[in-house]
């Protein structure tokens, strides 16, 4: 009788530990749209890059931009990539459209935010993949920024003017539309 209880308790313990570890693993797994598209095993992935003009930043960081077409069998997707050192943002076409819409909203709000003269204010739009675009106000001054990914260091770009962002995003959207034809 005691042996059966010991086996039962051991079995239940091992089962609960393995179940918990599987749940924890699923919760910790974060995939971006690009990761989801390129991680399909058993297929050939083809990548074609088209360079775009460099993105001008406030502190003259070297920031390259490009359109990346990824083919996975018959399926394909386009991503606007912003590359700074070891940080790369990969923005899918529909997210780029949402970013352009959000940029207009942010541009409409900036004057009232400046006028309110806050000690500090941050107004940001974040995509589902963790790319952030926004501005902050402090000491009567504003600064636009792009945060390329959720984690890591040296992944924030400071931009002097929203027109620089809008121009780069619009050019990327137009190039994607041209490449899709």
């Amino acid at each position: 009788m005691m042996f059966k209880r010991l086996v039962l308790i051991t079995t239940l313990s091992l089962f609960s530990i393995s179940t918990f570890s599987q749940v924890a693993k699923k919760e910790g797994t974060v995939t971006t749209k690009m990761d989801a598209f390129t991680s399909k095993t058993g297929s050939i992935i083809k990548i074609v890059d088209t360079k775009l003009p460099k993105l001008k930043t406030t502190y003259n960081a070297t920031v390259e931009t490009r359109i990346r077409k990824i083919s996975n069998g018959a399926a394909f997707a386009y991503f606007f990539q912003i590359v700074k050192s070891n940080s790369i943002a990969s923005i899918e076409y529909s997210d780029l459209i949402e970013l352009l819409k959000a940029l207009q909203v942010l541009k409409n709000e900036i004057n009232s935010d400046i006028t309110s003269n806050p000690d500090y204010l941050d107004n940001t739009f974040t995509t589902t993949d963790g790319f952030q675009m926004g501005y902050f106000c402090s000491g009567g001054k504003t600064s636009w920024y792009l945060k390329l990914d959720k984690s890591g260091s040296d992944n924030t770009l400071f931009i002097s003017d929203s027109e620089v962002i809008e121009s780069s995003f619009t050019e990327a959207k137009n190039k994607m539309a041209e490449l899709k034809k």
Side-chain angles (χ1 to χ4, degrees), residues 31-38 47 49 64-70 77-84 86-96 99 127-132 147-150 169 172 176:
T31 59
T32 63
K33 291 179 182 180
M34 182 170 218
D35 291 339
F37 194 80
T38 59
I47 296 172
D49 287 343
E64 296 180 9
T65 62
R66 64 184 174 221
I67 301 300
R68 175 161 281 184
K69 178 185 179 184
I70 302 176
Y78 291 90
F79 294 88
F80 173 48
Q81 291 192 312
I82 303 171
V83 183
K84 177 189 178 194
N86 295 329
S87 295
I88 300 175
S90 296
I91 305 166
E92 193 262 338
Y93 183 79
S94 63
D95 287 340
L96 186 59
L99 281 162
T127 67
T128 56
D129 287 346
F131 177 81
Q132 293 182 354
K147 189 171 181 186
L148 303 182
D149 54 41
K150 294 178 192 177
F169 286 7
M176 284 183 189

Side-chain angles (χ1 to χ4, degrees), residues 19-29:
T19 303
F20 177 73
S21 67
Q22 289 175 357
V23 170
K25 186 175 183 180
K26 285 181 184 177
E27 289 175 3
T29 303

Side-chain angles (χ1 to χ4, degrees), residues 120-124 134-137 145:
Y120 180 81
L121 179 143
D122 193 333
N123 200 355
T124 307
Y135 61 86
F136 63 88
C137 302
Y145 66 90

Side-chain angles (χ1 to χ4, degrees), residues 113-180:
D113 288 343
I114 294 169
T115 304
S116 69
N117 198 22
D119 290 331
Y120 180 81
L121 179 143
D122 193 333
N123 200 355
T124 307
F125 177 81
T126 305
T127 67
T128 56
D129 287 346
F131 177 81
Q132 293 182 354
M133 167 189 67
Y135 61 86
F136 63 88
C137 302
S138 180
K141 297 179 182 177
T142 60
S143 183
W144 287 87
Y145 66 90
L146 303 173
K147 189 171 181 186
L148 303 182
D149 54 41
K150 294 178 192 177
S151 60
S153 60
D154 196 31
N155 61 0
T156 304
L157 306 173
F158 295 97
I159 312 290
S160 61
D161 190 336
S162 63
E163 299 306 317
V164 173
I165 297 170
E166 185 172 20
S167 173
S168 182
F169 286 7
T170 301
E171 186 168 6
K173 177 188 76 119
N174 293 340
K175 187 55 132 176
M176 284 183 189
E178 177 186 320
L179 292 170
K180 284 182 178 185

